[in-house]
Amino acid sequence: MHRLLRVVWLSAVLTTLSTGVAHAVDYTSYSGFVVDGTPVLPASEQHPCLWFDAAGVEAVRARKDADAYAGMLYEAIAGSRFVSEPLPAAPGGCSEEAHVYYGTMARMAKYSAFMFVMTGDQAQRQRAVEALLRAYDGPIDSCDPKASSSPVDETYRGVWAQNFAAAYDWVQPTLTPEEDEAIRARLIKEAQTINDNLFHWTPRPHNHLSKPAWGLGTLALVLSSHPNASTWLANALEASNRNTSYFFSSDGIYREGSQYYIYSALNFLPFLHHYKNAAGVDLFPSWRPAFIWEFHVSNNVGWMPNLEDSYLRHNFLGMVAGQYMTDADTTPLHPQARWGNLFQWRYQNTDTAPWGGELGNNTGASKDDTIPLDKYLTYDPTVTPVAPSGGATQFLDEGGQTIFRNNWDYNSADSRYLLFHAVAEADNHNHFDTLSFLIHAEDQMMASAPGYSTSGYGDAERRSWYRTAQASNTVTCDGSWPTDLAENATPPSSGNVDTPFFDFQEKRARFIPQQNDDSKGENPLRYPPEEENLGTVRRSVAFPGQDYFVVSDRLVSRDGNPRHWEVYLHGGRGEMTSSGNHRMWTYAQDDFGGEARLAAWVFSSGGTLQDAEGALTYIRNDAASFDYVTAGVDGAQAGVMQVLIPLSMGDAVPVVTELSDTTRVGGTVQKEGHVDTFVTQPGNVDVTLGDLRTDAGFAWSREGNGALQVAAHDVTKLAHRGVTLARSHQPITLALDLSDTLAHHGWVALQRGGLTLELRAPPGAHSVEVMLNGVKVAAELVDGFTRVTLDGGGTLSLRYVTR
């Protein structure tokens, strides 16, 4: 990374938002990632080099016959209008017509040049050359990229640059010196223009900086003999690192949401391939966490969530599968497979129908992208798709997302998926959705995020509704939404539990006085000192039996004064019916799944429920209004619990009974022969609810069908039916399966080591063997309990011998 540029960047934390409002933002302290910023150019300029070299041409030609998928892509490319329609005339002004023109010309150049490579057709070669000789003609120099809705927006230019560069790369060996000089002059001018304006078009490190940077990087590689190429590439890497260090977490989460991740992927995927192919610099290992996040966050039909400013987007992991097949790419999700095998499987098991199928558009760049061609170029038919075999629940605690999932099955009504979202807020495309969640189950979208807006970023509805807490499945305090404890600080997670019978996690955030300024595209981020806090929320998600979900909120005022708390539950595109504390959403067969239901019960410490309507969108231009419910509770402390049970149309509705009062919240669920009991409370006093007695912040038990299972978070003592089952001298999280009298197993999560834990032993126990993560630990039987000291958490098993 060039030192001077970095110094300028470090000092430039006082920036101006697109709204013109001065706002101090720290772009340097987030947990993202960077790559080596030292520019590496090819030893000598050779063509082709970006997607393949001369020795690889035959392999690219043969790929179309590798399998039906490759053949389908090739036929789509060969039959595209971009290889047959006449080149358009340049527009006269800076209207949207100019955007369409430049996007079309760049695609025509790339498609025709590719068909020349594949077939040797001289007419296609000539067509590509003619498009390149006209590259960037027309009004581009008189249009302002920074103007609102500019037709030459810098994000578009990043895509055009890579498309023109690929076209030039493929026809360059056939050009006359005069043609080569003329085309290079046009590409050099654009490269220099991007380079000179890169950090001025937008001083902030969002996609308007990174996308043109990746385009500039590609231009530097294809024009590597130019004396300025090294500078271009250095600046491209610097701008890219600014983006990845602030908008990506170290575990791969993209803070602008799925929409702008895929929109950015249109540029970073080509650049990663180009840098590796042309200069031998492999950045794919550094980017691995981003693709692993893309894999995990995709639901069971392959869709990435519509959180933040985003519509639903399906994954594109097939475009990188071939890059993750080395010995360094082993995965904990399968004993023999590589990440590339799983990426190939994920993409091949993705429902693309809502976007018009495999050849539909899911990129947010329908006027510019060449996605069918890029899929063909990146597809590796030698990578065998392999389904994951374990580890469906995933905790991405550095970035702040947790995925609760019971299996990896595709198009299965049995699948359950909940995304628990608490990513540190960023200053672009941000929604007030900290601690929100969404559900995909019964092969249908259920509890949902609101999506982007009715149309896009400039919509007034986006500012007044879509980005607000009320539009998301989150909670407010006196109208203010949850926010981070400090700038760039991911809301902390605790109590991670992942077992076959129970999964759990709690996340924590604070409330500060703030309101939505719907006159601005981005609401200013605030991080005042603790004394300005209104209170805190500790929200947990439980996944009992990996069958349904329980979301609990522990709400506490900072100063002890009463607050008004509101918890919002949106059931997505279903018809809602109401009865007391019960809500039922019924979903018809649609583009997003089959018929299904979501049964919900909302428990609270003395609150009231109120139904309302609000808009949501899954795909652009499908906005519609649907019912949701708000739970309102008043007090210095409060608790709210949501029991969320996905059902098929034929399933019996479980019997759910609320047992809440002003001190603790909870109840029972009778379902399929077992009884589940839940309790939560704002503090940690000794409470009893049903068969449970505990000081836990959250506790659960299950009886029936021969099972006895319990779990608790933030607990020092837990009793069931009057029998103490666990106690410790410091708060812990645990889950225990006690169904087998002589073989207990489960999970324990510690706040710190040196914990002395006592677990009830079965009557007559003579000896016990305790294993933590497969390693034997010292234990003793004392007064009917197994006493063990633990220095860490994980999988716990106890085997008893009785007299």
Side-chain angles (χ1 to χ4, degrees):
M1 194 174 297
H2 281 198
R3 187 170 183 176
L4 178 59
L5 288 171
R6 193 63 178 168
V7 169
V8 170
W9 172 241
L10 286 169
S11 64
V13 296
L14 184 64
T15 66
T16 301
L17 296 176
S18 58
T19 58
V21 178
H23 176 55
V25 178
D26 180 2
Y27 293 124
T28 65
S29 64
Y30 189 57
S31 66
F33 71 92
V34 296
V35 300
D36 187 347
T38 305
V40 178
L41 294 172
S44 62
E45 185 177 323
Q46 304 288 330
H47 300 284
C49 66
L50 294 178
W51 289 106
F52 49 82
D53 60 16
V57 170
E58 288 306 317
V60 174
R61 290 173 176 166
R63 189 174 303 157
K64 65 183 176 61
D65 301 314
D67 57 28
Y69 175 69
M72 179 273 296
L73 290 175
Y74 178 72
E75 290 303 318
I77 297 163
S80 169
R81 68 183 181 91
F82 301 121
V83 301
S84 59
E85 292 182 356
L87 301 184
C94 297
S95 65
E96 183 60 18
E97 183 184 359
H99 179 188
V100 174
Y101 171 73
Y102 292 116
T104 300
M105 285 290 283
R107 288 190 284 189
M108 286 180 165
K110 183 174 177 180
Y111 270 74
S112 288
F114 177 75
M115 290 307 299
F116 166 64
V117 170
M118 294 295 289
T119 66
D121 186 338
Q122 290 297 317
Q124 290 295 335
R125 188 204 77 86
Q126 185 59 33
R127 178 183 166 83
V129 171
E130 290 175 4
L132 285 164
L133 286 168
R134 289 177 49 191
Y136 303 108
D137 63 350
I140 190 168
D141 292 335
S142 63
C143 302
D144 182 5
K146 296 178 67 175
S148 177
S149 301
S150 171
V152 296
D153 184 291
E154 57 268 14
T155 64
Y156 311 154
R157 296 175 84 135
V159 182
W160 304 338
Q162 288 178 315
N163 290 343
F164 276 130
Y168 173 67
D169 190 42
W170 293 331
V171 300
Q172 194 279 339
T174 71
L175 297 176
T176 66
E178 294 76 17
E179 290 172 333
D180 189 54
E181 181 180 3
I183 293 169
R184 287 179 74 90
R186 290 176 175 269
L187 299 183
I188 289 166
K189 179 182 177 182
E190 179 65 5
Q192 196 63 49
T193 298
I194 295 176
N195 179 82
D196 293 347
N197 291 281
L198 188 59
F199 300 105
H200 303 290
W201 281 334
T202 174
R204 296 190 293 150
H206 51 52
N207 64 87
H208 286 256
L209 178 67
S210 59
K211 284 174 66 68
W214 289 313
L216 177 61
T218 292
L219 287 172
L221 293 168
V222 83
L223 302 169
S224 62
S225 63
H226 191 277
N228 292 348
S230 182
T231 299
W232 298 339
L233 183 55
N235 286 338
L237 291 169
E238 165 69 9
S240 171
N241 279 337
R242 293 187 187 185
N243 175 262
T244 60
S245 64
Y246 181 74
F247 277 107
F248 283 88
S249 67
S250 55
D251 49 4
I253 296 170
Y254 189 61
R255 294 203 282 175
E256 285 191 287
S258 306
Q259 166 104 3
Y260 287 95
Y261 172 80
I262 295 298
Y263 190 51
S264 296
L266 284 181
N267 295 99
F268 68 67
L269 283 176
F271 176 73
L272 293 177
H273 284 279
H274 297 165
Y275 205 16
K276 181 178 180 180
N277 293 335
V281 178
D282 186 1
L283 299 182
F284 283 101
S286 297
W287 279 77
R288 186 187 293 109
F291 301 120
I292 293 175
W293 167 70
E294 183 179 350
F295 175 85
H296 281 298
V297 82
S298 297
N299 66 20
N300 282 52
V301 290
W303 303 343
M304 301 177 72
N306 59 332
L307 291 160
E308 311 298 351
D309 275 349
S310 181
Y311 304 112
L312 290 175
R313 289 293 185 228
H314 68 68
N315 74 88
F316 280 120
L317 287 167
M319 296 176 69
V320 297
Q323 304 301 316
Y324 295 101
M325 291 299 296
T326 72
D327 289 342
D329 297 312
T330 57
T331 168
L333 301 183
H334 194 282
Q336 287 85 41
R338 299 292 185 265
W339 276 114
N341 300 118
L342 272 59
F343 293 164
Q344 193 86 305
W345 169 85
R346 176 70 283 166
Y347 187 71
Q348 292 186 9
N349 289 271
T350 291
D351 180 5
T352 60
W355 297 272
E358 178 65 33
L359 299 176
N361 193 280
N362 175 50
T363 65
S366 58
K367 300 181 179 69
D368 303 305
D369 75 62
T370 58
I371 199 68
L373 179 47
D374 290 358
K375 287 178 182 177
Y376 182 91
L377 291 165
T378 56
Y379 176 56
D380 187 343
T382 68
V383 176
T384 303
V386 177
S389 59
T393 288
Q394 185 71 24
F395 304 104
L396 299 175
D397 288 346
E398 293 175 27
Q401 287 182 339
T402 294
I403 299 93
F404 293 93
R405 192 188 327 243
N406 65 336
N407 62 46
W408 294 100
D409 298 344
Y410 175 63
N411 274 349
S412 171
D414 295 331
S415 298
R416 302 285 185 267
Y417 164 104
L418 181 146
L419 175 60
F420 190 14
H421 177 71
V423 175
E425 294 178 295
D427 80 329
N428 204 53
H429 295 297
N430 185 55
H431 283 200
F432 315 151
D433 56 4
T434 298
L435 301 187
S436 67
F437 62 90
L438 52 84
I439 294 173
H440 181 265
E442 294 291 328
D443 201 27
Q444 176 61 266
M445 296 292 297
M446 292 192 171
S448 66
Y452 199 153
S453 189
T454 53
S455 179
Y457 185 83
D459 294 339
E461 295 89 346
R462 172 189 164 272
R463 301 188 299 273
S464 62
W465 169 253
Y466 280 87
R467 73 181 182 190
T468 68
Q470 289 85 345
S472 294
N473 291 320
T474 188
V475 56
T476 58
C477 174
D478 289 346
S480 295
W481 53 93
T483 193
D484 309 334
L485 302 184
E487 186 169 9
N488 289 327
T490 300
S493 299
S494 61
N496 297 2
V497 174
D498 180 10
T499 74
F501 62 92
F502 183 83
D503 297 351
F504 179 88
Q505 186 187 61
E506 182 181 85
K507 295 180 183 290
R508 178 166 57 95
R510 65 171 175 163
F511 299 99
I512 59 174
Q514 56 186 331
Q515 60 185 3
N516 177 35
D517 184 348
D518 62 12
S519 69
K520 296 179 173 62
E522 301 293 336
N523 212 66
L525 303 180
R526 295 183 61 242
Y527 305 97
E530 184 177 350
E531 54 265 26
E532 291 190 35
N533 290 359
L534 298 173
T536 59
V537 53
R538 298 171 69 174
R539 167 167 280 192
S540 66
V541 174
F543 194 14
Q546 295 195 333
D547 178 36
Y548 64 97
F549 305 99
V550 176
V551 179
S552 300
D553 292 309
R554 304 166 65 188
L555 305 163
V556 179
S557 169
R558 183 189 65 83
D559 55 13
N561 291 324
R563 300 291 180 189
H564 178 66
W565 316 90
E566 290 190 346
V567 174
Y568 311 101
L569 176 59
H570 297 258
R573 302 175 73 91
E575 181 179 348
M576 188 184 82
T577 57
S578 305
S579 177
N581 66 359
H582 175 49
R583 298 294 182 273
M584 178 76 80
W585 282 270
T586 301
Y587 309 94
Q589 177 97 24
D590 60 15
D591 290 342
F592 307 101
E595 293 183 322
R597 294 176 295 168
L598 175 64
W601 290 262
V602 183
F603 304 159
S604 65
S605 49
T608 58
L609 301 187
Q610 183 175 350
D611 296 341
E613 287 188 14
L616 64 85
T617 61
Y618 288 160
I619 302 294
R620 184 167 182 162
N621 296 325
D622 79 349
S625 186
F626 297 91
D627 293 329
Y628 70 97
V629 62
T630 299
V633 188
D634 294 305
Q637 295 188 350
V640 179
M641 178 180 288
Q642 304 172 63
V643 179
L644 308 168
I645 304 180
L647 300 168
S648 72
M649 297 302 292
D651 286 340
V653 178
V655 177
V656 178
T657 304
E658 181 172 9
L659 301 173
S660 307
D661 61 23
T662 56
T663 61
R664 79 281 194 276
V665 173
T668 61
V669 176
Q670 299 179 52
K671 186 176 188 292
E672 298 175 351
H674 56 250
V675 178
D676 288 357
T677 302
F678 301 92
V679 61
T680 190
Q681 59 169 320
N684 292 94
V685 300
D686 195 6
V687 297
T688 299
L689 186 144
D691 294 330
L692 289 173
R693 181 175 179 177
T694 183
D695 65 350
F698 173 90
W700 163 79
S701 68
R702 168 169 290 186
E703 279 190 293
N705 300 325
L708 176 57
Q709 297 161 341
V710 296
H713 171 64
D714 198 16
V715 63
T716 64
K717 53 187 175 183
L718 175 66
H720 181 264
R721 291 184 178 267
V723 176
T724 299
L725 299 179
R727 59 195 184 196
S728 70
H729 73 281
Q730 68 175 0
I732 61 169
T733 304
L734 58 81
L736 296 171
D737 187 345
L738 309 175
S739 306
D740 185 333
T741 304
L742 300 180
H744 299 170
H745 63 272
W747 186 272
V748 61
L750 311 184
Q751 293 184 0
R752 58 184 182 273
L755 167 77
T756 298
L757 176 64
E758 293 184 329
L759 301 174
R760 173 68 66 179
H766 172 68
S767 63
V768 61
E769 179 184 72
V770 179
M771 308 285 284
L772 180 66
N773 298 322
V775 178
K776 186 175 180 179
V777 295
E780 59 180 335
L781 291 171
V782 180
D783 297 330
F785 286 85
T786 297
R787 180 179 294 168
V788 59
T789 299
L790 302 175
D791 288 324
T795 303
L796 187 69
S797 65
L798 303 90
R799 295 191 175 275
Y800 293 95
V801 176
T802 58
R803 295 185 188 274

